[in-house]
Amino acid sequence: MSGIRDRPEEDQLTSAPQPPEPGDEFARVLDRVLLGGAPSPSLRPVRVTSAVDEVSDRLLTAIAVGDFLPGERLPAERELTQLLRVSRPTVREAVGRLQAVGVIEIRRGRNGGAFVRESWSESSAAAVRRTLLPRWEEFEQLFDLRGLVEGMVAATAARRRRPEDLEPIREALDAYLSATTPREEQIADSAFHESICRATHNPQIATLSRDLLTRISLGFPAEPWGKGERSHFHRASRDHKALYEAIAAGEPAKAEEIARDHFTISADMIREVLARVRAGEPA
């Protein structure tokens, strides 16, 4: 980015890394988990022209790809400062920009906060371009890595699951199939995959899975959901059912294959948003 100048340490954002050497990415993420969550060298802070610009762009892009859906409350200010490693004034100003362009509304009171109004504004296309295009090669690497890791997660769950592990997976599957809104689907989907992670009986595997989700979701541990397209829902429904059956039957090879294919859905959603932006279409 041009015009770089120093910012206070608290306003250094965790940015995407330079493309790693082949075969290094898995080791780097694994090292981060084994080191107890210490920042990975591939997630080093960088100094940016404006931390407020970066946070605003990242939030706009996260909303555009469906990390946060209309009607949903953004993480609280304190949580955003921790996720993005910036100061509270930076977060406050960035959120104020989103309010000014009509993407969010601020509600006061006990149940208040910043709530998503729209998934798209005139400012969104430029934010998506600035956020995704310079890092696209790394995103493609992460999509590939995530498929490999989630395949391993599913295979391990199929090998190690105990009878009592199947009930929460089944309950989350039922909740997903009966969901009536994209937000309900997103919540049930998260519960489904978290239950599979728990069935591996290795908390480090769950940490690795969450780390990769956070990295493809621009620093937010939320699955990209697009605009809740029904085609994605129907495909994911079939995958969820098949994945549950493979894990319940103790079929690791089948579970791995299903999971690797299933996790291309999120990657496809992000690719679709970027393709629309490049084509000059509203996302």
Side-chain angles (χ1 to χ4, degrees), residues 17-20 132-143:
Q18 296 298 314
L132 296 184
L133 280 176
R135 306 164 181 171
W136 193 249
E137 183 177 357
E138 187 233 353
F139 272 104
E140 289 288 357
Q141 294 168 355
L142 288 174
F143 296 153

Side-chain angles (χ1 to χ4, degrees), residues 33-178:
V33 174
L34 296 179
L35 289 170
S40 165
S42 66
L43 291 176
R44 61 189 180 279
V46 298
R47 299 183 188 278
V48 296
T49 303
S50 167
V52 175
D53 291 344
E54 177 81 3
V55 172
S56 300
D57 282 354
R58 199 174 291 193
L59 285 169
L60 282 168
T61 303
I63 291 170
V65 301
D67 290 350
F68 305 109
L69 298 167
E72 183 179 355
R73 183 170 58 182
L74 294 180
E77 186 178 282
R78 178 188 295 273
E79 186 178 354
L80 286 173
T81 64
Q82 294 171 346
L83 288 170
L84 300 176
R85 296 170 61 197
V86 295
S87 66
R88 282 197 170 193
T90 295
V91 168
R92 200 170 296 130
E93 185 175 343
V95 169
R97 289 188 184 182
L98 268 64
Q99 182 185 21
V101 298
V103 171
I104 65 168
E105 63 175 334
I106 305 299
R107 301 178 190 171
R108 307 297 178 187
R110 184 175 181 181
N111 297 316
F115 288 80
V116 178
R117 293 183 65 249
E118 302 288 345
S119 61
W120 197 256
S121 76
E122 291 183 3
S123 304
S124 298
V128 169
R129 282 193 295 270
R130 287 190 296 264
T131 302
L132 296 184
L133 280 176
R135 306 164 181 171
W136 193 249
E137 183 177 357
E138 187 233 353
F139 272 104
E140 289 288 357
Q141 294 168 355
L142 288 174
F143 296 153
D144 178 54
L145 176 61
R146 194 180 186 211
L148 294 171
V149 169
E150 294 299 343
M152 176 271 292
V153 171
T156 305
R159 291 189 184 98
R160 298 181 180 176
R161 95 285 182 277
R162 301 166 186 166
E164 62 268 24
D165 294 323
L166 296 178
E167 183 176 354
I169 301 174
R170 181 72 215 189
E171 288 177 352
L173 171 60
D174 290 341
Y176 185 83
L177 297 176
S178 62

Side-chain angles (χ1 to χ4, degrees), residues 149-211:
V149 169
E150 294 299 343
M152 176 271 292
V153 171
T156 305
R159 291 189 184 98
R160 298 181 180 176
R161 95 285 182 277
R162 301 166 186 166
E164 62 268 24
D165 294 323
L166 296 178
E167 183 176 354
I169 301 174
R170 181 72 215 189
E171 288 177 352
L173 171 60
D174 290 341
Y176 185 83
L177 297 176
S178 62
T180 58
T181 68
R183 179 57 180 153
E184 289 178 359
E185 294 165 12
Q186 192 180 41
I187 292 171
D189 177 83
S190 177
F192 180 78
H193 291 294
E194 287 174 1
S195 297
I196 291 174
C197 282
R198 286 194 296 271
T200 68
H201 297 280
N202 184 337
Q204 298 296 341
I205 290 177
T207 300
L208 179 58
S209 174
R210 182 180 175 88
D211 180 88

